Amino acid sequence: MSYQNYSLKQLQQIDASHHLHPFTDHKELRQAGSRIITRANGPYIYDSEGNELLDGMAGLWCVAVGYGRDELADAAYKQMKELPYYNSFFKCSTPTPVLLAQKLVEIAPEGISQVFYGSSGSEANDTAVRLVRHYWALEGKPEKNRIISRKNAYHGSTIAGTSLGGMESMHQQLGGAVPNIVHVMMPYAYELALPGESDHDFGLRAAKAVEDAILEAGANKVAAFIGEPIMGASGVKIPPTSYWPEVERICRKYDVLLMLDEVITGYGRTGEWFAAQSFGISPDTITTAKALTSGYQPLSALLVGDRIARTLVEKGGEFHHGYTYSGHPVACAVALANVGIIEREGLVERVKSDTGPYFAHALGERIADHPLVGEVRSFGLMGAIEIVKDKGTKERFAPSGSAAVVVRDHAIANGMMMRATGDTMILSPPLIWTRDTIDMACERIVKALDLAAADLRR
Ligand code: PXG
């Protein structure tokens, strides 16, 4: 039955009665009623009231090619008619995951040669954890199984994803994490650099925390380091350029595998196909999802480097791991079409040489000076705006996280969908944004900041 037969109130009531939402205070949501998004086109989403919102978050960091792409719908339709599902267990394959694997290896950083599919970033990270630990066991070092991650990292919501991640609020509800995962400081200069410390030195110090964790455990106990190239969900935290090359050097020095989580940064967001290429590093695994299909289908791909692949293939026997939907033919058909659009429309190059630099310039020129803004930063088409009470001292409004919500609510009321995380506003627009869209977004954000400033200073 079509949802059009239901009023907004009815949908909200049914939603409140039966639907448990992710990361939601359900009592609060039930009092307020959910915002129901009913359709979308290009860079815009529309709610059930007919309000048009410019989507500054590309859905949830995923809709790279924008909404309403017939080509992706057609790819799904055609594949569903021809073969909606078959598994890739038991020596079977279907064509689209095969061709997609070839394409992903072609665009991936050098050294990546294999692809393992799942349906979500969380699943891909579970696969990655199992795979790196299995790798060391196959190499005769089963005790080399500790994984180093970062505080405030986000690596998904499964038990392994939550354990890998460094979000305290999530750990508190975990009831027992996957063992042997430790968390070190994040490369977040805005809050963690010492007075007078240069960005460069701060980056090296944050990397040194990885080395310290390796030395504390003993290199013979450490399997891998995992990190988001740019920390997304915790607030678009961009490391200094000194950080990643130094982390890579440390990992190689102690023979620790380097795992990148590019669920947010993958497929063009940073102005390269992968942020590994932006930072000039060569990871052993790359977790990807989201923009792989632009969110039109649930699909993740763990990209695996030669070193692990060789051991897995030559010495591994059967790897007892996989999902019903690993290599789902429809999701892979959509991914192939989606990567095709990104390529054909030159979106990666556009982010690198046109919209990315323009975005950085616009944030710097039009938003950084606002009295509520402590810092703006961006990389490609990912951006952050730090909300502060005092620009000079970086003092935040109390209680923590409340001010960004005020900004967000004004932004939404003014036609701009964006997210608040803690005291940071984040932006991760579709890669189809143009200079005009960026201008429009900045206008709406400034208006939201002005209105929020009036509220907050009252
Ligand atoms: N790794 C990273 C870096 C992510 O950002 C995941 C793994 C997990 O992917 P799945 O597909 O299992 O959700 C993510 C997901 C937010 C937000 O509030 C971010 C994510 C998910 C939900 C909310 O910014 N990222």
Side-chain angles (χ1 to χ4, degrees), residues 148-150 184 210 224-227 243-244 247 251 256-259:
I148 301 169
S149 177
R150 275 102 46 96
V184 300
V210 179
F225 170 78
I226 185 166
Y243 180 76
W244 277 114
V247 168
C251 286
V256 164
L257 296 170
L258 179 55
M259 305 162 75

Side-chain angles (χ1 to χ4, degrees), residues 60-61 120-122 125 154-156 228 233 261 263-264 290 419:
L60 201 48
W61 318 84
S120 67
S122 301
N125 276 334
Y154 190 78
H155 295 299
E228 303 153 80
D261 184 342
V263 166
I264 282 176
K290 293 194 189 269
R419 225 167 89 44

Side-chain angles (χ1 to χ4, degrees), residues 61-62 151 194 236 341 436:
W61 318 84
C62 48
K151 292 175 183 157
L194 301 169
V236 183
I341 292 174
D436 286 346

Side-chain angles (χ1 to χ4, degrees), residues 88 93-109 111-118 267 274 288 292 299-304 326-329 331-337 339:
S88 45
S93 229
T94 69
T96 57
V98 172
L99 297 178
L100 180 63
Q102 181 186 42
K103 185 76 213 171
L104 297 184
V105 168
E106 180 194 316
I107 61 176
I112 297 290
S113 61
Q114 312 289 325
V115 179
F116 196 104
Y117 295 111
Y267 306 105
F274 298 94
T288 77
L292 170 58
L299 181 68
S300 59
L302 178 71
L303 311 183
V304 179
S326 286
H328 193 285
C332 290
V334 171
L336 272 168
V339 172

Side-chain angles (χ1 to χ4, degrees), residues 291-352:
L292 170 58
T293 61
S294 281
Y296 282 61
Q297 285 282 296
L299 181 68
S300 59
L302 178 71
L303 311 183
V304 179
D306 292 330
R307 177 176 177 182
I308 295 176
R310 220 175 301 124
T311 297
L312 185 71
V313 173
E314 296 304 326
K315 305 185 188 171
E318 180 175 345
F319 183 35
H320 297 274
H321 176 79
Y323 309 106
T324 300
Y325 298 128
S326 286
H328 193 285
V330 177
C332 290
V334 171
L336 272 168
N338 173 65
V339 172
I341 292 174
I342 295 176
E343 236 173 3
R344 192 178 69 230
E345 298 186 359
L347 294 178
V348 181
E349 182 52 38
R350 186 158 122 194
V351 172
K352 183 177 187 162

